[in-house]
Amino acid sequence: MTTPVLSTDSPHGSAGVALPTKVTGIVFWGMAVVGLFIMLLVMHGLRHRFVSGENARADRFAFSLQQYLVHQPSPSAAQLSAAALRLRRHTGVTGADIRVGSVSAQVGNTDPRLEMLPRLIRYITLSGTPRKATAVLTVYEPQVTAKLAATRRRILLSTGLIILAFGTVLRWVLGTILSQPFERMVADARAFSGGETETRFDETRDDEFGFLARFINRALDFSFSQQQALRNALENVKRSETALYAEKERAEVTLHSIGDAVITTDADTLVEYMNPTAESLTGLRLSDVIGRPLAAALALVDEETRYPVESPVLRCLREGAAVDRMDHVIMLCPGGREIDVAPSAAPIHSRNGIKVGAIMVLHDVGQVRRTARQLSYQANHDPLTGLSNRREFERQMQIALDEVRRDGCSHALCFLDMDQFKVVNDTCGHAAGDELLRRFSTMLRTSTRDTDVIARLGGDEFGLLLKHCDLPLAKRITEDLLDNVRGLRFIWSEHSFDVGVSIGIVPVLPDHASISEIMSAADVACYAAKDAGRNRIHAYSPGDENLRQRHTEMRWVSRLQQAMEHDRFRLFCQPVVAVAKQGQSAEYFELLLRLQDEGGGLIPPTVFVPAAERYGLMPQIDRWVIHAALKALQSADSGQNRRFAINVSGQSLRDPDFLKFVSGEFKSSGIAPAHICFEVNEAAVIAGPGPAMETMAGLRSLGCALALDNFGSCLDSFVYLRKLKVDYIKLAGDVIKEMPQDSFVQSIIEATNRIAHAAGISTVGKFAENQNILAALRRSGTDYAQGHAIANPMPLEDILADPRGLGCQSCNQEIV
């Protein structure tokens, strides 16, 4: 291919006019245009002059009105209107609206569409008593925009006429000098652009146009020779672009359709792409962040510590490997939004294996984490008070115990038991009880430190873990807490209650085997505080014998509950026989309770009954005995021909539902109440005579027999004997044992027998352990005896299986 050579001929001939001359003429006229532009700029200052003039007129009007009001402070409407009209003619304002106190006046045109120039006039009156006064003036002027537009129209119209004339002349000049040659060149260019590639520009002129034509013709020839090569190259490029575009479209469609947020960066972590999900999640637009560092747009922090988390993009680019989903991460977005995310990232490599960027995927886990937090909160907090529950409290206790063992720090555990909660519940209902618990919980929060852990352990029992607190400090904190509780008065409807709390404290020591041991010790200390008079504090110490005994009893509570759940109680019987008669069958059999331990041994009631009474388990045990006894009698053929005595605790006698339970058991078992005798301890009756007597009367009305056990142990025994309707009284065993050696005691027993017989009550001597006691009982006139000298206790099933109805040979021996 040959490169065209441009001609170096002169661009203009001797007769032609040089192009600079032509340009000089054009510049001359250009200067005229610039002058016109300057005139327009000057005209632009008209607005300022109009506004200044309006404000000046308004100010002159306001000043003149002020001078008038100084001498005439209280004009009438007519006076004010006349003065305003005079001032309007003087100042030339379009209109004015004046308000002096309650008097107002309007002059001229006050159309609201006009320009309103408000003025507040302050003046001091000279007539009368000098005083400060104000008047409100609004001056109306034509809109500056309207006046400005009219003036501009006049100026522009005049200028336009001048420019039109100037343009006409200029057009003729340019048409002659420049336009015609240009039009010919444009026509040739259009023909060439239209496909007439053989067209060439006119090279015959001797001026600059001729020179340009020759230059362009040479350039066209050269460019035409290159077109074919370019066409071939472009075809190849288009094919490559088409394939690349299709691949890019597929990639973008794929990224757009992904439900997670996707962000791609280059090797310097500058953002290159964000899919719509990422824009929606972050609140950013791709156009705002493209080309910016990813860390500047988004920040990732740890969910718990709030410390910054290394971007997975940086990590994957550094390590050259994918970063799996990261948990417990929060994304900080512009505007203060925080979003729970699980980010992951992977590097992007070129065909040569060079890292050219990275792709990060942000999975929105906000809903999942919110649900998990809510479930975790519900699982670890009491729904009524919002405090931690027992499970969470035990977890915190384990953490505290581990800290004590590891770091040697000091913690203290407190158990709190509300003293009036049951009274409030029974008097005002559960709604009042719930409100009391909420108020008490609020008081606990305000009376303790932020680092302490408070929990509702159940019912009206609360736990308080005082962190980094030794025993003396724990006592001071709980004493302040107790003072706050004493000042808490709970009012519900017409009822008012003084709230109290018993607090047990135990230090958390490294030698404690488990949190169960610590919490058990705190529970024991709390009960010791209740036993000491309630509404007080008791600190646990290992050498406290009182607490050691209470701890033993508390262990019995769990054993007794398990015994009832696993049916490990056993019923034994001991007969009660007539003292003065020989060879008679038993009057009745007393049912005796035994507990079978894990090894199969039997534990007597004297071991576990005190713990059951102290912790309110006797009603459950009594109900187990009654149900088991009636069930056994129901299955035995001879069960209907004998009488069995069942011991009932004072707690059951004071239970309003006990009588209903007994009646239901009789109905379901079919056992006649006449075959059952309920034995009641005299001390239990005297401790709560009203409810106890009412329950005893109810049992008697069912047809059951009643026996008053341990009679004579109280000073008021004979007083209550007159009030109680019983069939038997069982003389106190400690007194019976002294009869053979003490004539005074024997005289007391004789007198008791005579009084009981006078009331129609039979007497029973307990603890008949030998023949001497049996002989003394016979001489005293006692009706019946019970003890090892007559028969040892035997399992109930053995007694029911004995056809003679006695179950032992010794009962038929002669009593001497």
Side-chain angles (χ1 to χ4, degrees), residues 50 55 62 66 100 147 152 224 297 306 319 325 352 401 413 425-426 433 512 578 601 604 627 635 649 659 708 763 794:
F50 287 151
N55 285 326
Q66 180 184 28
V100 180
K147 293 192 294 184
R152 284 177 176 175
F224 186 77
R306 308 294 294 186
E319 299 177 357
R325 179 178 295 185
N352 300 326
L401 181 58
L413 172 64
N425 243 3
D426 295 343
H512 280 128
H627 176 77
S635 62
S649 67
L659 191 60
L708 190 62
T763 57
M794 297 183 64

Side-chain angles (χ1 to χ4, degrees), residues 228-510:
Q228 191 61 39
L230 289 175
R231 288 192 187 97
N232 297 333
L234 287 174
E235 288 296 328
N236 294 331
V237 171
K238 287 180 180 179
R239 285 193 293 269
S240 299
E241 286 182 348
T242 302
L244 182 62
Y245 181 78
E247 184 178 352
K248 180 182 177 182
E249 282 292 311
R250 286 194 296 271
E252 289 188 353
V253 168
T254 301
L255 293 177
H256 273 63
S257 62
I258 292 177
D260 289 332
V262 178
I263 302 175
T264 61
T265 71
D266 61 12
D268 296 324
T269 72
L270 301 180
V271 177
E272 292 184 338
Y273 172 78
M274 294 174 65
N275 70 348
T277 305
E279 291 182 331
S280 176
L281 182 65
T282 62
L284 299 171
R285 291 181 301 177
L286 177 59
S287 58
D288 297 331
V289 298
I290 191 168
R292 292 176 55 193
L294 179 61
L298 298 175
L300 302 177
V301 298
D302 186 84
E303 180 182 16
E304 295 183 359
T305 64
R306 308 294 294 186
Y307 290 153
V309 174
E310 183 183 18
S311 171
V313 170
L314 286 174
R315 181 178 166 188
C316 77
L317 288 174
R318 183 181 68 248
E319 299 177 357
V323 176
D324 293 335
R325 179 178 295 185
M326 301 167 60
D327 296 325
H328 309 293
V329 175
I330 293 178
M331 179 175 64
L332 304 181
C333 300
R337 289 194 310 137
E338 295 185 358
I339 301 175
D340 295 305
V341 294
S344 59
I348 301 175
H349 296 90
S350 66
R351 292 181 179 180
N352 300 326
I354 301 174
K355 288 179 290 189
V356 296
I359 180 169
M360 181 173 69
V361 178
L362 297 170
H363 181 61
D364 185 0
V365 294
Q367 183 61 41
V368 175
R369 289 185 186 171
R370 283 191 295 272
T371 302
R373 292 189 193 107
Q374 183 178 6
L375 292 176
S376 176
Y377 182 87
Q378 293 174 350
N380 296 327
H381 289 78
D382 174 53
L384 177 63
T385 62
L387 301 177
S388 299
N389 58 16
R390 178 179 287 273
R391 173 185 173 184
E392 174 63 13
F393 190 70
E394 290 179 351
R395 189 182 72 84
Q396 293 289 343
M397 278 294 302
Q398 186 62 56
I399 295 173
L401 181 58
D402 293 341
E403 288 179 352
V404 170
R405 291 171 176 170
R406 183 183 64 249
D407 305 329
C409 54
S410 299
H411 301 313
L413 172 64
C414 305
F415 262 33
L416 299 87
D417 192 301
M418 297 180 64
D419 295 330
Q420 294 295 323
F421 178 71
K422 190 176 187 306
V423 176
V424 173
N425 243 3
D426 295 343
T427 304
C428 303
H430 292 290
D434 291 347
E435 179 61 23
L436 175 58
L437 289 174
R438 282 191 287 267
R439 293 188 189 179
F440 184 75
S441 302
T442 302
M443 187 276 301
L444 284 180
R445 290 192 187 97
T446 58
S447 302
T448 53
R449 304 169 302 176
D450 293 338
T451 57
D452 299 331
V453 181
I454 313 171
R456 182 187 176 204
L457 304 179
D460 59 348
E461 295 180 347
F462 294 82
L464 174 60
L465 176 59
L466 300 174
K467 291 192 172 183
H468 304 286
C469 178
D470 56 15
L471 191 58
L473 178 57
K475 288 182 178 180
R476 291 197 298 271
I477 292 175
T478 51
E479 284 171 358
D480 293 340
L481 173 62
L482 192 60
D483 290 339
N484 292 337
V485 174
R486 286 171 179 155
L488 180 63
R489 188 167 184 82
F490 182 68
I491 299 175
W492 187 268
S493 188
E494 72 276 8
H495 302 284
S496 178
F497 304 92
D498 290 322
V499 180
V501 63
S502 300
I503 305 175
I505 309 175
V506 59
V508 180
L509 303 176

